[in-house]
Amino acid sequence: MPPPSADIRTPSIQRSGTSRAYSSRLSTTEHILTERHAEAHDHYERRLDKDDDSILSLTEPLDRKLKGIAEEIIEKAALFMESYLRTVSPNSGKSADGMSDAIKPRPDSPMQLSNTPTDPSISTQRAGNTSDNSVLLKEKLDEANKWISWKSSSKEKNMYGPIGAFIKYVALVVKEKLTSLADPSSGNGRGCRLVLPSTKSDYNPPDADDTMRIDMGLVGANINSPVEANSGRVLYYKVIAVLEAKRRGDDDGFRDAFEQLDIYTRQMYQQQHNLRFAWGITVSGTHVRVCLFGPDRAKSSRLMDISKPEGRRAFIKVLVHWSLCEESQLGRDPTMEYLRDLKCWQIACPDKAGSMGEGADVKYYYFTTVSCQADRLFGRHTRCFLATDIRPTTMVSDETPLKPKFVIKDSWAFSKRNASEDTRDEVRSLEKVKACLLAKAAEQDIIIPKIEVGGRVSFLRNGGWVEDNTDTLYGRGKLVADKADTVRGPGEMADNNADDANKPGEVRSNDDLYFRAHRRIVMEPIGEPLRSTTSVAEFVTVVCDVMRCHSAFVNDCGILHRDISPNNILVFRGADGIARGMLIDLDCAIDIDQEKREKREGRAKRKEMTGTLPYMSINNLSGSLVEHTSLDDWESMLCVICWFATLGTISGKRRGDGELARCPIGKWRQGSTDEMITAKQSTFDSCNSFQNLIVRHFKLEGVAGSTSDRIGANSEVGEIGVGSAGAEIGTSSENDTSDEGDESDLLEGLAFELHECLFQNLSLSPDCRGTFEKPKCDEQNPTDSGALSGWRARKGRLGKLLPMVNPLEERAKIWKDISKQLLEIVDKYWKQAMALQEDALEAKSNVAIGTILQ
């Protein structure tokens, strides 16, 4: 597979561990690794299915003839290896290199390649001289024996060479057979490959965005390639799988190896744009396990002990199958191809709504730029490609670049197996948006995503078309049937008990494997990520545009988005240079009327958690039974505004994640779910807490009139308590937003007013404001209960236990009224931000004219 385009490659890494670019955020290496190690440990504990040998059958060659060839190679390689081991003399003791003398070959015991009873009689037709091949095989087995006889007291680095020799031994046998075939179409260059280890071990791949060192990368080479070819430091975009080794053969050794493999596999998804699922290998002492990373879970095989004949044969079988199976069985997407002569990617999409397949029209698009990468190990693995439907006639270069016209979204979304019954299909939602809003978009002055075509991905496998979904990935029957074939997701509650909710991203048991379909959508216009904004006015215009669009989705289309996050916001720049915002990605969207009908009919789906940390609403994050309304999306947008305002809204002038983590807002994505919920409740509960914990940390240094310039000496980063230096929200809103030319007031005023409308709305009674549950006010003395704290607040004047009020539940009852008020707020700030953008462009134009006249 070719390298990614230059405009999406990770910048060069500073090995000192200072700040560097990571994904869509500015981060420090230490902070990245801390988060990834914690996530990997969580995956080991809750997302790994151990001892599942069913995954080994997934790479068996599908072609009957190739399957027979594979069995022949396995038999010969295993018998030849065992015949060699029987020629060694058992002795006691151990050498300094960690290899037991018990199975060292005798110097006078040559490798037998003649037709003896123990000789596998490997053919050497078309493969060179028999004696030359004998020497190579003997050398590899001599080295591999150091691993077969491994002792855990030896150094880990002494394992790499012997493990690589074992893999190369199998590759030699595979090459011997495939190059001897009379019919080239049965294996010579038709999808078969040599599985080879990287010649460099314990290294940091050049395309990594961290400093972690992989032990070994396995690559697929042409069968005519020399086994000893120097591959050097193999990049993530080339590897079939990463192999991680630990010297200990116990459970701790496997756990440590898997957790590191988890981190490395994430990098594979990020660098390989056509990766559907991923393979990996862990080695702990002489114990080998094969790992499969699917969209929602990881699986590992039973251990293969290569110190025993059956274990060696099992590992040989894995390597041979990987050599002869189809590319799709290794996780690669056969509907995407890198055209080396044109230096661009070709991707197949349905030419009309529906699935690709036999009898269906397929249209090809071409791209070099990836605007969104799959940067998570589990989930939808959403990628976005900027593409054109015109095939280039010359090699793509800086002088002759592609001119993209469309965005192609590629993702694995939760679905129903029967596509015609999938009411939450994003294609349907986008078609509805197009039908309802295309004519109104100009009148309402909003930018909407316009779908060209979309559907499920299918590909040719073993001569027939198959739909690409999790059934295809695991094999039909490997997935637990989805009860009532409903759409579910990790984090969905098992029943109607709120206390039984999962942490977001948690899978309850090994049975929770959900059905996902591989979907591809072509749409326009093309946009830039939210991080591309160059001023506060641009940022405010974009986020206000998005919520104006969101309101149109709800009011005109009856569609609730349910996943407001930076990745789902695009910046669109027209010919006038004005930055506008567009809301995309309706994978989690629901048809409001459809949901109401199902609720009336008693077919309501169980509570789901949708969204993206750290932008999920408190109601959504807590798994509450309170209805998910548009207010949850408005709260998510407030989180986006606060997050970016703290990080920095101007591209190139932002905080790193390490610095951000020391701000109170950093707790929105740290610790357990309960800790994240409490952190959000604390920040949003009152006007004072919102200003002191959030607004005072906005990165507005150097912008005149910012609140951060007016806060007193109590404003150090990391201070969490509410101090006396914080001003009341009413004062800030009234006095600070009056100057339309002040960008800092624009951002702070928007945040203040949205917060006040969401959590301190005057339409609600005092006990229904804020975020924490409160006792219902005593009618005889309504101020008593509000003045008390802790358990005392539960008692009225006569000592009676007062009922508790959930503010989020109360506000959901009047969500339409509050949503209308919120829309009026963003309309006001949208007009101000648009005016500031126009003034800035006019000033820039005047300067340019003045320069020309001079």
Side-chain angles (χ1 to χ4, degrees):
M1 196 179 79
S5 172
D7 46 6
I8 61 168
R9 290 290 298 275
T10 305
S12 59
I13 296 172
Q14 300 175 8
R15 300 300 171 185
S16 61
T18 55
S19 298
R20 96 265 310 275
Y22 161 55
S23 210
S24 63
R25 308 187 300 268
L26 298 179
S27 312
T28 61
T29 305
E30 182 180 358
H31 190 74
I32 291 172
L33 294 181
T34 299
E35 284 193 348
R36 291 183 181 178
H37 279 291
E39 187 177 58
H41 181 71
D42 181 73
H43 292 166
Y44 176 82
E45 294 292 337
R46 298 190 298 173
R47 284 189 180 262
L48 173 63
D49 300 332
K50 301 176 184 177
D51 301 332
D52 186 350
D53 277 351
S54 66
I55 64 174
L56 300 180
S57 64
L58 299 180
T59 53
E60 289 182 0
L62 301 174
D63 180 83
R64 184 177 300 177
K65 188 171 183 179
L66 280 178
K67 188 172 183 179
I69 293 172
E71 292 172 354
E72 182 181 344
I73 295 173
I74 294 166
E75 186 71 15
K76 289 183 176 182
L79 287 176
F80 194 77
M81 179 176 286
E82 298 312 313
S83 72
Y84 169 76
L85 294 180
R86 282 196 290 269
T87 66
V88 299
S89 173
N91 294 307
S92 60
K94 190 185 78 154
S95 63
D97 60 7
M99 170 183 160
S100 171
D101 288 331
I103 60 170
K104 278 189 176 180
R106 296 197 310 266
D108 59 345
S109 175
M111 175 79 71
Q112 297 295 321
L113 286 175
S114 60
N115 292 322
T116 62
T118 58
D119 184 359
S121 303
I122 299 176
S123 170
T124 56
Q125 300 175 32
R126 305 184 187 180
N129 185 277
T130 304
S131 60
D132 292 341
N133 199 57
S134 302
V135 172
L136 284 174
L137 290 170
K138 182 179 183 298
E139 286 178 355
K140 300 311 167 195
L141 289 175
D142 282 344
E143 184 69 13
N145 270 324
K146 298 177 183 178
W147 178 34
I148 294 171
S149 59
W150 181 256
K151 300 299 180 183
S152 60
S153 58
S154 304
K155 293 182 179 180
E156 181 183 305
K157 66 179 182 180
N158 292 335
M159 300 177 69
Y160 306 145
I163 294 172
F166 190 107
I167 297 170
K168 288 180 180 180
Y169 164 77
V170 177
L172 281 169
V173 182
V174 171
K175 179 177 181 177
E176 189 76 22
K177 180 61 181 178
L178 294 184
T179 55
S180 71
L181 293 173
D183 179 10
S185 65
S186 297
N188 194 354
R190 287 289 298 272
C192 296
R193 64 202 66 80
L194 300 181
V195 176
L196 298 174
S198 54
T199 51
K200 181 74 174 178
S201 57
D202 188 26
Y203 69 95
N204 178 239
D207 56 347
D209 65 5
D210 57 31
T211 55
M212 292 193 67
R213 306 169 70 88
I214 69 174
D215 288 342
M216 192 178 298
L218 302 186
V219 296
N222 186 283
I223 62 169
N224 294 312
S225 301
V227 172
E228 296 297 337
N230 185 5
S231 57
R233 295 191 303 164
V234 177
L235 279 70
Y236 277 119
Y237 77 80
K238 283 186 175 181
V239 299
I240 292 174
V242 174
L243 184 149
E244 179 61 26
K246 297 297 176 185
R247 62 183 180 85
R248 304 188 314 276
D250 54 15
D251 290 342
D252 289 343
F254 169 60
R255 181 199 62 217
D256 293 346
F258 175 84
E259 290 181 7
Q260 286 188 239
L261 187 64
D262 180 286
I263 297 172
Y264 303 146
T265 305
R266 173 182 179 149
Q267 296 269 6
M268 289 175 60
Y269 275 114
Q270 186 168 324
Q271 297 299 333
Q272 298 186 28
H273 315 316
N274 61 346
L275 191 64
R276 300 156 50 242
F277 58 91
W279 293 98
I281 294 175
T282 64
V283 175
S284 47
T286 59
H287 297 168
V288 178
R289 292 177 177 87
V290 175
C291 299
L292 173 69
F293 294 88
D296 294 302
R297 295 191 70 75
K299 293 174 175 285
S300 66
S301 67
R302 291 189 179 92
L303 68 87
M304 302 170 231
D305 191 347
I306 56 92
S307 68
K308 299 178 181 179
E310 59 270 23
R312 293 190 286 272
R313 184 185 184 90
F315 190 37
I316 289 172
K317 184 177 182 179
V318 169
L319 296 173
V320 172
H321 282 173
W322 284 12
S323 300
L324 274 66
C325 68
E326 295 185 4
E327 284 284 316
S328 63
Q329 293 173 272
L330 292 176
R332 304 288 171 78
D333 187 343
T335 66
M336 293 177 64
E337 180 184 1
Y338 187 75
L339 307 178
R340 297 186 180 278
D341 57 332
L342 296 175
K343 288 193 174 180
C344 68
W345 285 86
Q346 175 181 276
I347 181 171
C349 298
D351 198 25
K352 58 183 179 181
S355 298
M356 298 157 52
E358 188 172 3
D361 294 328
V362 175
K363 187 173 182 178
Y364 292 98
Y365 295 79
Y366 306 89
F367 71 89
T368 58
T369 302
V370 181
S371 61
C372 176
Q373 295 173 305
D375 60 354
R376 293 287 175 183
L377 185 59
F378 298 115
R380 290 180 292 165
H381 294 153
T382 300
R383 300 175 174 95
C384 292
F385 312 116
L386 305 186
T388 177
D389 56 350
I390 301 175
R391 182 185 176 96
T393 56
T394 59
M395 183 183 295
V396 178
S397 64
D398 292 339
E399 291 73 28
T400 56
L402 286 179
K403 296 180 180 179
K405 299 191 298 181
F406 307 102
V407 176
I408 299 178
K409 178 187 173 185
D410 186 272
S411 66
W412 287 72
F414 291 121
S415 308
K416 287 188 176 181
R417 287 182 173 83
N418 188 339
S420 63
E421 298 176 359
D422 193 356
T423 58
R424 295 191 186 181
D425 184 357
E426 184 179 13
V427 175
R428 290 190 179 190
S429 297
L430 286 169
E431 291 285 3
K432 189 174 183 180
V433 167
K434 186 176 180 179
C436 296
L437 290 177
L438 188 59
K440 300 179 181 179
E443 178 186 343
Q444 298 183 19
D445 200 2
I446 56 175
I447 311 295
I448 64 169
K450 296 185 280 291
I451 183 173
E452 291 293 316
V453 73
R456 297 188 179 186
V457 175
S458 298
F459 61 89
L460 277 171
R461 167 179 278 188
N462 197 28
W465 284 91
V466 295
E467 182 182 288
D468 200 13
N469 54 45
T470 43
D471 281 353
T472 303
L473 191 160
Y474 293 107
R476 190 76 176 179
K478 298 293 192 302
L479 285 169
V480 176
D482 197 356
K483 293 180 181 178
D485 206 21
T486 55
V487 179
R488 300 189 296 159
E492 180 185 5
M493 292 178 357
D495 50 40
N496 291 328
N497 181 2
D499 294 332
D500 203 25
N502 290 337
K503 179 176 178 177
E506 176 181 353
V507 179
R508 185 172 299 279
S509 71
N510 292 352
D511 291 340
D512 288 323
L513 285 169
Y514 306 99
F515 180 80
R516 292 180 183 264
H518 188 186
R519 188 180 295 141
R520 195 166 284 161
I521 301 173
V522 182
M523 52 190 169
E524 57 178 355
I526 292 175
E528 301 171 340
L530 181 58
R531 64 179 182 271
S532 66
T533 54
T534 59
S535 68
V536 171
E538 283 192 359
F539 177 80
V540 172
T541 302
V542 169
V543 296
C544 289
D545 256 333
V546 164
M547 294 316 293
R548 293 170 68 246
C549 184
H550 176 276
S551 297
F553 284 1
V554 173
N555 299 329
D556 296 324
C557 309
I559 292 175
L560 184 61
H561 190 277
R562 303 200 308 166
D563 188 15
I564 303 294
S565 66
N567 285 341
N568 296 334
I569 298 172
L570 289 183
V571 180
F572 173 77
R573 298 179 189 274
D576 57 1
I578 298 289
R580 302 293 302 275
M582 181 170 66
L583 181 61
I584 62 169
D585 194 350
L586 302 181
D587 266 344
C588 297
I590 58 171
D591 185 310
I592 299 174
D593 293 335
Q594 176 74 17
E595 295 292 313
K596 288 181 179 178
R597 283 194 297 271
E598 292 182 353
K599 188 175 182 179
R600 287 196 302 268
E601 296 169 4
R603 297 186 294 112
K605 297 175 177 64
R606 293 171 293 178
K607 176 69 178 183
E608 294 173 304
M609 290 181 182
T610 60
T612 306
L613 289 175
Y615 316 107
M616 293 171 67
S617 69
I618 297 170
N619 176 40
N620 195 17
L621 187 61
S622 63
S624 165
L625 290 177
V626 176
E627 180 184 2
H628 192 147
T629 69
S630 66
L631 297 185
D632 290 283
D633 285 359
W634 280 98
E635 184 180 331
S636 291
M637 176 52 80
L638 177 59
C639 292
V640 170
I641 293 170
C642 294
W643 190 270
F644 265 72
T646 307
L647 185 68
T649 59
I650 301 176
S651 177
K653 297 181 180 180
R654 297 196 171 104
R655 288 185 170 115
D657 264 13
E659 185 181 358
L660 189 68
R662 294 191 293 273
C663 297
I665 200 172
K667 294 185 178 295
W668 287 5
R669 68 174 189 187
Q670 296 172 2
S672 66
T673 305
D674 289 341
E675 290 171 334
M676 288 186 281
I677 293 170
T678 301
K680 284 200 170 185
Q681 287 178 313
S682 299
T683 55
F684 288 147
D685 188 56
S686 70
C687 299
N688 273 338
S689 63
F690 181 66
Q691 177 170 320
N692 282 275
L693 296 178
I694 300 299
V695 178
R696 72 188 302 174
H697 297 292
F698 282 4
K699 184 173 172 56
L700 297 171
E701 291 86 347
V703 180
S706 67
T707 297
S708 56
D709 292 334
R710 297 190 297 271
I711 298 293
N714 251 0
S715 62
E716 282 125 8
V717 171
E719 185 179 357
I720 298 180
V722 178
S724 59
E728 290 291 335
I729 181 173
T731 304
S732 298
S733 292
E734 293 173 10
N735 298 336
D736 294 344
T737 60
S738 59
D739 182 4
E740 294 184 6
D742 192 335
E743 288 197 348
S744 67
D745 288 342
L746 192 70
L747 183 59
E748 293 171 349
L750 175 62
F752 276 136
E753 291 196 36
L754 290 179
H755 171 267
E756 187 176 33
C757 189
L758 277 168
F759 299 103
Q760 300 295 326
N761 199 290
L762 296 180
S763 300
L764 297 169
S765 61
D767 56 351
C768 296
R769 300 172 192 168
T771 57
F772 292 103
E773 286 192 351
K774 299 177 180 67
K776 189 174 181 61
C777 291
D778 190 321
E779 294 181 359
Q780 296 181 354
N781 191 350
T783 61
D784 277 358
S785 61
L788 299 176
S789 61
W791 68 272
R792 296 178 183 273
R794 292 175 174 269
K795 295 185 178 181
R797 294 175 67 250
L798 301 178
K800 295 180 180 179
L801 190 67
L802 294 175
M804 300 298 288
V805 177
N806 182 350
L808 304 181
E809 184 176 0
E810 295 302 314
R811 80 174 187 182
K813 296 176 181 177
I814 57 171
W815 69 267
K816 289 185 179 180
D817 293 336
I818 297 179
S819 295
K820 185 177 180 181
Q821 297 171 27
L822 290 164
L823 181 59
E824 291 173 354
I825 293 171
V826 298
D827 273 337
K828 177 180 69 174
Y829 281 93
W830 177 76
K831 292 176 182 177
Q832 294 180 20
M834 285 285 287
L836 285 176
Q837 281 202 75
E838 292 169 355
D839 291 345
L841 287 173
E842 183 179 354
K844 185 177 180 180
S845 176
N846 291 337
V847 170
I849 293 173
T851 303
I852 294 173
L853 293 177
Q854 290 177 358

